[in-house]
Amino acid sequence: MSNNTKAERYTRIYTQIEQLIGATNNPYSRMATISALLHHKMKGYFWTGFYFLDGDDLVVGPYQGPVACLKLKKDTGVCWAGINTGKSVVVPNVHDFPGHIACSPLSQSEIVVPVRNHSGSVVAVLDVDSRELSQFDDVDRIHLEKIVQLVYRA
Ligand code: SME
């Protein structure tokens, strides 16, 4: 898929999510809808879902794909890096990322995007894994950063 096609697809998904999420402001219902749409409409998405902070823990939220780790060891791996820095993390090869947590041995590349609540605090991350190396780039990052803003939008 060319980057233009990919961007167009993300734009269509954004509009669709925007229309659907108006039904409720419950963030978990919105996360579930976002995971389902992205997972089934984007190519190369092998695992698509959210991890959210629960006290000191980072635990799995709504997702699509194979069964994943329920809780991620504190301050370890890609999801915690997204939580702790408040920045998106694009990992072309998960084997090169120190501390990467492999919920599935099939995942080869990954993107993590922080989710902020109404007050601007990072409360969760969107995590997408692919079975292909270097699946994600700036086009994915920019569009996913926009999509996750819909989780807590008033
Ligand atoms: N790889 C992630 C763990 C979650 S799974 O990929 C679904 C990490 O290193 O934080």
Side-chain angles (χ1 to χ4, degrees), residues 31-81:
M31 287 180 195
T33 303
I34 290 170
S35 320
L37 271 168
L38 286 172
H39 191 77
H40 293 284
K41 296 204 169 216
M42 292 307 298
K43 287 203 195 323
Y45 275 45
F46 171 62
W47 190 91
T48 312
F50 290 84
Y51 279 89
F52 64 93
L53 283 171
D54 180 18
D56 272 350
D57 293 331
L58 192 54
V59 296
V60 80
Y63 69 91
Q64 299 269 319
V67 173
C69 319
L70 269 75
K71 189 170 126 182
L72 301 176
K73 187 174 176 329
K74 193 164 168 50
D75 298 337
T76 306
V78 190
C79 292
W80 269 109

Side-chain angles (χ1 to χ4, degrees), residues 86-105:
K87 296 219 161 77
S88 299
V89 190
V90 177
V91 183
N93 182 344
V94 296
H95 305 105
D96 294 340
F97 191 95
H100 166 260
I101 299 168
C103 294
S104 163

